[in-house]
Amino acid sequence: MTFDRPALLLTLLVIPAAACLYALVRRRRSRFAVNYTNLDVLAGVVSARKAWRTVLPLALLTLSVAALLVAIAGPHVNRLLPTERATVVLALDVSRSMESQDVRPSRLAAAKVAAQRFLDTVPGKLRVGLVTFSGDVFVAAVPTTDRERVRASIAAAGFGHSFGGTAIGDAIARAVEVGRAALEERQLSSAGAALAPASAESAGLVSIVFLSDGRQNRGLIPPLEGAALAKAAGIPVYTVALGTSNPNAPGLPWGGRRAPDPATLRAISEATDGEFFEARNAEAASAAYEELGSKLGRTPQKSEATVAFVAAAAAALLAGGLLASVWSPRLP
């Protein structure tokens, strides 16, 4: 929490000073005795009061004063708020091994469901694009806020447009190009926007969510070289390794299986300041995408909290006043 006028927090010293003064007054009053001999009559007139009934209203009043003193200092809190200029590029492996059935109903089907859920959780103004890859890389959907267009591209993603294999490094490099192009397009559409260096301007505005089930066996760019390109552009890569290494798990419909390569995907996320997820089943894949959807496209921003403190002060003051009124001693 930060404050516009932190020096005004010194006014909180009034509270311990008032507490000391109150204690001194109570001690001074205890020196005097009541000159009243008929204590039975006095006990019938004045009802006994529990100590906490005296202290609680006073504590609420003190809390109210403290909240008001904090409010005048201009408090702000950091919150994750949607960023209108943000872009996320989904990179989806559609190689033949994604038809493996160790993840039900298949790796690719589970990945598609997870990607659709991702679209349900991200901010509405976030632009989402889709890159599919196997041995070659294709831009299935340029970044857009049109969710239906991206959903249709995810649904249509599948093997059949390449010669097989998995080109992880090339896919990362292409996703970086797509993300930077979308950012520059948005910059140019903003009046008076000046282009900053890619690494500075992309930071926090472009992210890549990369899902694969295998290790690289095709392509021109090694995986960590592709990660270096993302790092240089200030783009974090969040990787999801889908599939199991269990040799007894169901494999491809036509026989054979391929274990995922979590070590490479973890290294990619670590090199780009992203995050790594290992998904051995469909539920884990969906959970990873939902977690990413809840935070991507949002950046920490200062939000004024003065109203919250004023409201808390009013509530404490009202509660203290009501309790004092209900519990105050009355003559029968």
Side-chain angles (χ1 to χ4, degrees):
M1 182 178 293
T2 58
F3 298 89
D4 290 337
R5 299 170 291 277
L8 292 181
L9 292 175
L10 293 174
T11 57
L12 290 170
L13 296 175
V14 171
I15 294 176
C20 292
L21 180 62
Y22 176 74
L24 289 174
V25 170
R26 284 185 61 85
R27 180 177 299 179
R28 181 177 179 84
R29 289 176 60 189
S30 64
R31 296 176 183 175
F32 297 94
V34 177
N35 188 14
Y36 197 90
T37 58
N38 197 337
L39 297 180
D40 292 335
V41 175
L42 182 63
V45 174
V46 181
S47 60
R49 301 179 68 198
K50 295 181 179 180
W52 63 271
R53 289 193 174 188
T54 303
V55 174
L56 185 55
L58 185 60
L60 289 171
L61 175 61
T62 304
L63 179 62
S64 175
V65 173
L68 286 175
L69 293 177
V70 173
I72 64 176
H76 289 80
V77 294
N78 287 327
R79 297 176 180 172
L80 286 176
L81 299 177
T83 303
E84 293 186 6
R85 298 170 57 202
T87 297
V88 172
V89 180
L90 301 176
L92 180 61
D93 187 346
V94 294
S95 59
R96 287 188 183 274
S97 60
M98 287 291 286
E99 295 297 330
S100 296
Q101 297 175 352
D102 57 339
V103 177
R104 295 293 185 180
S106 70
R107 293 177 180 178
L108 183 57
K112 287 183 178 183
V113 171
Q116 298 286 3
R117 291 185 180 178
F118 175 84
L119 297 179
D120 293 333
T121 55
V122 295
K125 294 184 178 180
L126 176 73
R127 295 205 294 180
V128 181
L130 177 65
V131 169
T132 60
F133 67 96
S134 51
D136 300 312
V137 184
F138 294 87
V139 179
V142 297
T144 177
T145 57
D146 186 347
R147 295 287 183 264
E148 294 308 313
R149 181 184 303 177
V150 181
R151 290 185 189 279
S153 298
I154 292 172
F159 179 79
H161 53 244
S162 70
F163 295 103
T166 306
I168 291 177
D170 296 57
I172 295 174
R174 190 72 181 99
V176 169
E177 293 175 0
V178 171
R180 290 183 57 183
L183 182 61
E184 291 175 0
E185 177 187 343
R186 180 155 289 190
Q187 286 176 325
L188 293 173
S189 65
S190 301
L195 291 178
S199 59
E201 191 63 25
S202 300
L205 296 178
V206 179
S207 305
I208 296 171
V209 177
F210 191 95
L211 183 144
S212 179
D213 73 334
R215 62 192 72 247
Q216 173 144 328
N217 56 14
R218 283 200 66 185
L220 301 176
I221 302 175
L224 292 183
E225 230 179 83
L229 293 174
K231 176 67 174 178
I235 300 176
V237 182
Y238 299 85
T239 57
V240 181
L242 182 62
T244 68
S245 300
N246 182 2
N248 297 320
L252 293 165
W254 52 85
R257 65 185 316 278
R258 189 175 186 188
D261 182 16
T264 297
L265 296 183
R266 184 189 296 274
I268 291 170
S269 64
E270 290 176 351
T272 59
D273 300 322
E275 193 172 350
F276 169 75
F277 299 85
E278 192 166 8
R280 295 184 174 89
N281 52 55
E283 291 75 16
S286 292
Y289 270 74
E290 287 180 2
E291 180 178 339
L292 291 171
S294 67
K295 61 186 177 182
L296 295 184
R298 298 170 173 86
T299 55
Q301 299 180 32
K302 284 186 176 181
S303 178
E304 189 174 354
T306 302
V307 174
F309 279 94
V310 172
L317 182 61
L318 179 61
L322 289 175
L323 292 179
S325 175
V326 172
W327 292 338
S328 61
R330 292 179 175 83
L331 293 176

